[in-house]
Amino acid sequence: MSEHKEGSRTSLPASSPIGLRELLDATPDLLFACDAHGRFQWLNPSLEPVVGQRPSDLIGKSFTSILSEADRVSTLRAFVRQCRSRASEERRTLTVVAKDGSQSQVLARVRCFERQDGELAFVGVARPLAAWNPPAAVDALRPDVATPSPAPIEAPSAAPSAPADDAKLAALGAEIDTLKAQVQLKAEFLATMSQEIRSPMNGIMGTTQLLLESEMESDQRNLVELIQNQSRALLVMINDTLDFSRLDGGDLKLENIGFDLRITIEEVMAVLTPLALDKSLALECRVHHEVPSRLMGDPGRIRQVLLNLGHNAIKFSEQGRVTLDVERVREDDDEVALRFAVSDSAAQLADDTAVMVSTVFSGTRSDGWRRYGGTGLGLSMSSQIVQLMRGQVGVDSRKGQGNTCWFSLTLPKQKVTGPAAAPSVQLRGVRALVVDPSRAARESLKEMLTAWGCRADEVESGEDALGKLREAASGGDPYRVALIEMNLSGIEGEQLGAAIRSDERLRETRTVLLTAVGRKGDARRAKDLGFSAYLLKPVQWAELYDATVELLGASGGPEHLVTRHSLAEARRGRFRVLVVEDNPVNQLVASWALQRLGYTIESVVDAKAALETCERQRYDAILMDVQMPGMDGCTAAAALRARERGGPRTPILGMNGSPLTSERERCLAAGMDDVLKKPIDLGELCAMVERLASPNAVAPERPAASAPSEPEARALTAADVEVVPGRAAEDEPHAPIDNVRLEESCMSIASLREALLQTWLADVGPRMVRLAETLSTGDARRLEFEAHGLAGMSATIGAMDCMKVFEELEHAGRDENLADVASMMERAQAAVERTEAHIKRLEEILRRAA
């Protein structure tokens, strides 16, 4: 494309398309971009008449090079403040000096943003004050100027000398370096102090824990518990102060690891529960069944924000309940947007607390905050952490009903992998070493290892541990596992782990770092130091067993750091569910819903196949359809129970479309543990399986649905399909498919919606043929069975017209009343044809919207 310049204006051939760069170059405003050091990276030509230099001559130079001497220092300080606080916008009136020494005033607005590589960058726009009319418009943006118009500017008699300028620029650069060094020094000082304070704090907490495990009178126990609770509160404040300093200096790093969201929520609830009980508050948690479990991100920071919001809600509530809700906002194949909300019932304080929380979220303070025993530091830091994770925060308050603090995040989903097979490891005879200064902790861990057949020894210091490890290796009987407490006397736990990794003689020893008080970044640091696992104390039996088995399961050790998150994901992945369902639509819905929670799903189409499969493989739960061809679900359940006599019992959940109470009783009598009504409520299904998988799991309940906001996850509405091309709307009084029911079944996931509709289309034809064949034979029982299956699959996708006529056929077969079956079949065929045409129109609409 050719360009023709006339003076300072740019003209283009009339036939040329105008691109973004041409528009930016042609704008009369002064546009520029700078890097994190304030050096020009790009300028548009409109700046040339003001500074008397070509834009290309200024690239790489500091923005201070075109400012007046009087503005340089104050503007540079403002730039440093904006870098440190990451304020989104700075607005100032500046004096620009041209190459010939002439000066002009401009009003500049500069925005700060973070690039994909994490570096800061700045974009700005400036306009000469003379271009503003009337002058009052300038004054409205200049709170420091009281006069109605700027005073005339007199050009200096001579341009500043170059050497003087260079000296001042060097001084300004030195000031920037000094400010950066001060920030770094403050962060290092706080880190050192927090570490120094944390060591005796851990000692205090360890001592109080030992006292609580001993025999004490009630009053003494209360005092020790008070010491322990206050110590924990102080430790949280220390950690928050350190994190706040890191945020302030831009040094807080986020992890991006795979984690199980529901495990993170469980950990939050475990900490908040005793706090709520102390105030006689009800603590509730609801994780919507549409929320996927396996995500990528920083679980420690998410847990930190939720704990801060939870502490805040409990602090302000004197009675009632505190609720944690997690809901899906939107989702596609790669990521999911979630809304986390913590609500309290502090009705009498709603107005006051909402103002305080809002001011803290915005980075300021409220005088009323300390009345309730806090500084607001945790909330302010939570707001910054969420923003660092590219999320949003807010608070909603309704008078008389309490407050809701919320934040939203968009997180990548983990890639779906195959089921995690449990490693086949024999622990009997494995040599293990426990390194812990607490005698009680050593004996507890040693007892666990000994119970599994391990040969366990114990030491209390890092020096003793290193000597014992080397002695065992030299004797040809090395320790395979070493459990190391982080806080040891002499050699610290982290130092001991690094020493083990650097010793070639000890390369076969797998090391586990243990700590009672986890810090942000501990897991990443443990992995960098060569530890194979990182676990929080107190370590549960099952958790330590799973970790030990995984550590010893692979000859080269695990490829990832073993944590409670990875163990929970592995356990969830090893929880196998068998879905026994002849209806492919219902089978697809149930399998999708459970796979999103991380479970391993296998499917068969009839009861006979289920019995054969259960002979070869043990399942942790069975989802059994009641009405199936040949052997029904109740008969299959009774057969499975007969096999289990004297052995482990597998939970069986029935699925039945019959509303009769007698049918439910028949299922329970056959050995089923519970019965779900068709069409399946996915929230109820997920909650049941969650309870089976872990008695202590946070069972997701089903709150009111929230409207997805993105096109790929939005629900279909009647307006999408109310007019059929080529037909009048009045010819079709209502749509053949209930879109609300369809969206519930597919969880507003476009790919699942398409799969359900395509499966229905593929399966309805052959089933209709089989249904018609039953009419010619007069087989009432067969008619009932075929119609039942068609009714169920139609109900799942919301094909309500089809469902109703198929239910009529089912009842006719059950009552052996075949007089009106022929007319019913005609209506069924017509309903199917209308639904098929409707689905094809839906597909066309979705293709156009894509």
Side-chain angles (χ1 to χ4, degrees):
M1 180 185 297
S2 61
E3 296 186 4
H4 307 280
K5 292 194 175 181
E6 300 175 1
S8 61
R9 300 178 60 190
T10 303
S11 62
L12 299 172
S15 60
S16 300
I18 299 178
L20 176 60
R21 176 53 64 90
E22 285 79 14
L23 289 174
L24 295 175
D25 286 347
T27 183
D29 287 329
L30 286 58
L31 307 179
F32 56 91
C34 296
D35 63 12
H37 302 285
R39 296 175 298 210
F40 285 121
Q41 300 295 297
W42 175 84
L43 308 95
N44 73 332
S46 296
L47 201 70
E48 184 173 341
V50 179
V51 299
Q53 300 183 63
R54 293 178 301 178
S56 59
D57 295 334
L58 293 171
I59 299 299
K61 293 184 178 180
S62 171
F63 69 87
T64 59
S65 64
I66 64 171
L67 298 183
S68 69
E69 219 177 305
D71 281 349
R72 287 179 184 171
V73 175
S74 61
T75 307
L76 189 58
R77 286 175 175 164
F79 171 73
V80 173
R81 286 197 302 271
Q82 190 175 15
C83 289
R84 291 173 56 189
S85 64
R86 298 179 179 239
S88 60
E89 183 175 310
E90 180 79 16
R91 188 179 302 197
R92 299 178 67 82
T93 301
L94 304 170
T95 300
V96 176
V97 180
K99 190 174 184 180
D100 61 3
S102 61
Q103 297 184 0
S104 57
Q105 284 190 307
V106 299
L107 178 66
R109 296 171 59 190
V110 181
R111 285 189 176 274
C112 170
F113 68 96
E114 185 175 341
R115 303 187 316 190
Q116 291 184 351
D117 59 5
E119 290 292 327
L120 291 182
F122 300 83
V123 293
V125 57
R127 181 178 296 180
L129 292 186
W132 289 84
N133 188 24
V138 179
D139 296 338
L141 296 175
R142 299 175 62 204
D144 57 325
V145 177
T147 56
S149 61
I153 304 296
E154 294 184 4
S157 58
S161 62
D165 279 350
D166 291 344
K168 288 173 180 175
L169 286 175
L172 291 174
E175 183 175 354
I176 292 178
D177 293 339
T178 300
L179 288 172
K180 289 181 177 179
Q182 289 175 347
V183 172
Q184 182 64 28
L185 183 62
K186 181 176 71 173
E188 292 177 357
F189 172 76
L190 286 173
T192 302
M193 287 301 299
S194 67
Q195 181 62 39
E196 293 297 326
I197 297 173
R198 187 180 284 110
S199 295
M201 288 300 301
N202 286 332
I204 293 172
M205 294 175 66
T207 303
T208 56
Q209 184 62 42
L210 292 176
L211 287 173
L212 289 173
E213 294 174 359
S214 64
E215 294 293 332
M216 288 189 296
E217 296 180 2
S218 177
D219 291 344
Q220 294 174 328
R221 180 171 295 276
N222 290 338
L223 290 174
V224 174
E225 288 177 348
L226 179 62
I227 295 173
Q228 190 175 55
N229 291 337
Q230 294 301 316
S231 298
R232 287 174 177 168
L234 181 57
L235 197 59
V236 168
M237 188 177 297
I238 293 169
N239 290 335
D240 284 349
T241 303
L242 178 60
D243 286 342
F244 196 82
S245 172
R246 288 171 176 167
L247 279 167
D248 191 39
D251 295 328
L252 189 69
K253 304 299 182 184
L254 296 177
E255 290 187 317
N256 186 34
I257 61 175
F259 71 100
D260 189 314
L261 178 64
R262 284 178 169 80
I263 298 300
T264 300
I265 300 300
E266 289 177 28
E267 293 171 347
V268 171
M269 295 298 290
V271 175
L272 295 180
T273 296
L275 302 179
L277 290 176
D278 286 344
K279 298 188 69 174
S280 299
L281 297 171
L283 183 63
E284 298 178 349
C285 178
R286 293 193 290 263
V287 183
H288 198 278
H289 71 271
E290 292 179 348
V291 175
S293 287
R294 294 181 174 178
L295 303 174
M296 298 292 295
D298 192 332
R301 295 299 173 188
I302 294 174
R303 182 171 57 247
Q304 183 181 12
V305 174
L306 287 173
L307 285 173
N308 279 327
L309 297 187
H311 280 130
N312 172 69
I314 293 172
K315 181 189 305 178
F316 289 127
S317 298
E318 298 300 330
Q319 58 185 1
R321 67 187 67 250
V322 171
T323 304
L324 168 60
D325 284 304
V326 185
E327 295 182 359
R328 186 191 66 175
V329 178
R330 63 173 178 82
E331 180 180 4
D332 58 29
D333 292 339
D334 300 317
E335 61 185 20
V336 60
L338 301 176
R339 184 179 188 270
F340 302 80
V342 178
S343 304
D344 62 57
S345 56
Q348 72 278 15
L349 300 173
D351 294 339
D352 195 15
T353 57
V355 170
M356 286 191 292
V357 174
S358 295
T359 57
V360 173
F361 265 11
S362 63
T364 58
R365 291 288 184 272
S366 169
D367 293 337
W369 191 268
R370 293 184 182 276
R371 295 202 306 271
Y372 303 101
T375 63
L377 178 63
L379 283 183
S380 179
M381 185 177 61
S382 296
S383 175
Q384 294 188 54
I385 290 175
V386 171
Q387 293 176 31
L388 192 61
M389 292 191 287
R390 305 182 190 278
Q392 295 180 321
V393 297
V395 57
D396 301 325
S397 179
R398 290 182 292 177
K399 191 170 183 178
Q401 299 185 35
N403 314 287
T404 298
C405 294
W406 58 267
F407 66 95
S408 59
L409 294 175
T410 299
L411 299 170
K413 298 192 294 188
Q414 293 184 40
K415 300 300 181 183
V416 178
T417 58
S424 178
V425 176
Q426 175 59 258
L427 295 184
R428 183 168 299 280
V430 169
R431 198 171 186 190
L433 180 65
V434 178
V435 189
D436 198 303
S438 167
R439 179 180 177 183
R442 293 198 306 271
E443 291 179 351
S444 175
L445 293 171
K446 182 179 178 181
E447 180 182 350
M448 296 183 197
L449 294 167
T450 303
W452 304 324
C454 296
R455 292 180 293 141
D457 296 316
E458 57 176 279
V459 293
E460 61 178 333
S461 70
E463 292 86 349
D464 292 343
L466 203 54
K468 207 166 185 63
L469 287 164
R470 288 170 176 166
E471 180 184 353
S474 300
D477 187 15
Y479 287 98
R480 299 283 306 283
V481 178
L483 309 180
I484 302 172
E485 161 63 32
M486 180 181 291
N487 293 290
L488 299 174
S489 59
I491 300 177
E492 287 282 344
E494 292 181 350
Q495 296 173 325
L496 175 59
I500 293 173
R501 285 280 69 79
S502 63
D503 193 329
E504 188 67 20
R505 295 168 294 177
L506 306 179
R507 63 176 181 271
E508 297 298 325
T509 303
R510 306 284 173 249
T511 53
V512 182
L513 184 62
L514 304 176
T515 179
V517 183
R519 297 171 295 175
K520 310 301 180 298
D522 274 352
R524 182 177 63 249
R525 189 167 55 255
K527 183 177 181 180
D528 294 341
L529 291 171
F531 283 92
S532 301
Y534 170 77
L535 299 175
L536 292 177
K537 298 166 71 175
V539 183
Q540 304 299 322
W541 280 67
E543 189 174 60
L544 182 59
Y545 179 85
D546 288 349
T548 307
V549 167
E550 185 164 348
L551 291 178
L552 301 177
S555 58
E559 297 179 357
H560 60 276
L561 183 73
V562 176
T563 65
R564 61 170 56 183
H565 277 285
S566 68
L567 294 174
E569 285 187 20
R571 283 196 297 270
R572 194 182 289 267
R574 289 196 293 267
F575 192 89
R576 308 178 75 95
V577 180
L578 178 65
V579 178
V580 188
E581 171 65 78
D582 67 309
N583 187 315
V585 173
N586 293 338
Q587 184 184 105
L588 189 62
V589 170
S591 298
W592 262 71
L594 296 176
Q595 283 173 341
R596 286 166 58 77
L597 298 185
Y599 301 116
T600 297
I601 310 300
E602 295 181 25
S603 302
V604 294
V605 297
D606 57 45
K608 181 180 179 182
L611 293 176
E612 293 174 353
T613 302
C614 289
E615 286 183 352
R616 301 188 301 267
Q617 168 72 47
R618 185 183 180 278
Y619 294 91
D620 299 286
I622 299 174
L623 193 59
M624 180 83 72
D625 186 25
V626 174
Q627 293 181 302
M628 291 183 290
M631 183 187 300
D632 69 1
C634 288
T635 305
L640 287 171
R641 292 295 180 235
R643 292 180 181 178
E644 290 175 343
R645 289 171 183 168
R649 177 186 174 92
T650 302
I652 302 176
L653 301 178
M655 299 181 292
N656 197 354
S658 174
L660 300 177
T661 304
S662 59
E663 276 293 294
R664 174 179 173 81
E665 292 174 350
R666 184 171 74 94
C667 294
L668 296 177
M672 294 186 180
D673 296 272
D674 210 336
V675 183
L676 290 160
K677 292 175 62 176
K678 289 186 176 181
I680 298 299
D681 184 313
L682 295 181
E684 186 180 1
L685 169 64
C686 293
M688 282 187 176
V689 177
E690 284 281 272
R691 285 194 292 269
L692 294 175
S694 174
N696 298 320
V698 181
E701 299 178 10
R702 188 173 182 175
S706 57
S709 59
E710 295 294 328
E712 65 267 23
R714 72 177 179 85
L716 294 173
T717 65
D720 289 328
V721 291
E722 64 179 354
V723 177
V724 184
R727 294 175 56 185
E730 57 267 20
D731 293 340
E732 193 171 15
H734 64 274
I737 288 183
D738 180 351
N739 293 317
V740 173
R741 176 66 228 173
L742 174 60
E743 292 305 301
E744 288 177 352
S745 295
C746 73
M747 298 179 283
S748 295
I749 300 174
S751 54
L752 179 54
R753 181 197 300 135
E754 180 181 2
L756 289 178
L757 295 176
Q758 290 300 320
T759 302
W760 189 90
L761 286 175
D763 204 50
V764 70
R767 284 178 176 263
M768 285 293 291
V769 171
R770 295 200 298 269
L771 185 64
E773 290 174 352
T774 63
L775 298 184
S776 61
T777 61
D779 188 341
R781 290 299 174 199
R782 185 66 180 175
L783 173 66
E784 177 188 3
F785 173 78
E786 294 292 349
H788 173 79
L790 282 162
M793 62 187 282
S794 298
T796 298
I797 69 165
M800 309 311 290
D801 290 347
C802 292
M803 182 198 75
K804 290 176 183 177
V805 69
F806 288 137
E807 284 183 342
E808 291 180 23
L809 284 165
E810 180 185 0
H811 295 155
R814 183 182 304 145
D815 299 337
E816 298 186 356
N817 181 8
L818 308 184
D820 297 326
V821 168
S823 63
M824 293 180 191
M825 277 295 299
E826 292 179 2
R827 288 193 288 118
Q829 187 63 44
V832 168
E833 291 175 358
R834 287 182 64 241
T835 303
E836 289 175 332
H838 185 84
I839 292 174
K840 292 177 181 177
R841 279 184 283 125
L842 282 181
E843 292 174 342
E844 180 61 27
I845 290 168
L846 293 173
R847 276 196 297 270
R848 291 176 181 175

